[in-house]
Amino acid sequence: FMITDAPTGGINQGTMWYSANTGGQVVLNGVNLNVPGVYSYKIVANLTDGTQLFSPEYQVTITKAPPTRIQIQNSPTGIAGYKMYSMPIFLAFDAVGPVQDDRTNISLTIGYNAPSFVYEGESTTATLFGNVSVAQVDYSYTFFDLYMDMPGTYDITVTVYMNGNAILISSFGLTIRAPPTYLVDGTMPVSYTHLTLPTKRIV
């Protein structure tokens, strides 16, 4: 198996030499091309008299393998009604390690066990706000403006899409705290309205 043309950095990391089986067939089952792209190759037969026979040139296109798992690198935390002060960051991995793939994006949704609430006599459910879908930048998928409108413990579903198709689904736990409550001594209501008093010139 002889490569005649390859993408930058492309080599065969597998077997180069093969022997014919009892049926006279040569099975190239050890070829391992390391970089996505178009490869040109020939099959070279080395005869016992020292001569060589060359096949016509063939081409094969190697596509990048999709990621096989997603991992959260920065766990989010926050207070209901406010932008999370720690945003989620994810990395995608294949069998070798972290992958960079501009065909992918990640979306977040609240899982099926989202807490529900009764507010002023009306039932309501929590909502995840902000840009809930991001593309990969370098190796990271970074969210930047998420917030939940209600406190609680959530199961957030992470879906990796490639060319519009879901290829990976994972999840992580998220706890959103209630906003702080301020207590004022006494029974007098406190107003923070700023008043501008009229002025009068005294002659």
Side-chain angles (χ1 to χ4, degrees), residues 153-199:
T153 300
Y154 300 89
D155 180 55
I156 304 298
T157 300
V158 185
T159 305
V160 180
Y161 291 90
M162 176 177 285
N163 298 327
N165 300 311
I167 60 169
L168 281 175
I169 297 178
S170 183
S171 65
F172 67 93
L174 170 64
T175 299
I176 297 296
R177 294 184 293 133
T181 300
Y182 298 98
L183 299 178
V184 179
D185 291 337
T187 58
M188 179 179 294
V190 177
S191 173
Y192 291 95
T193 304
H194 177 72
L195 298 179
T196 301
L197 298 178
T199 60

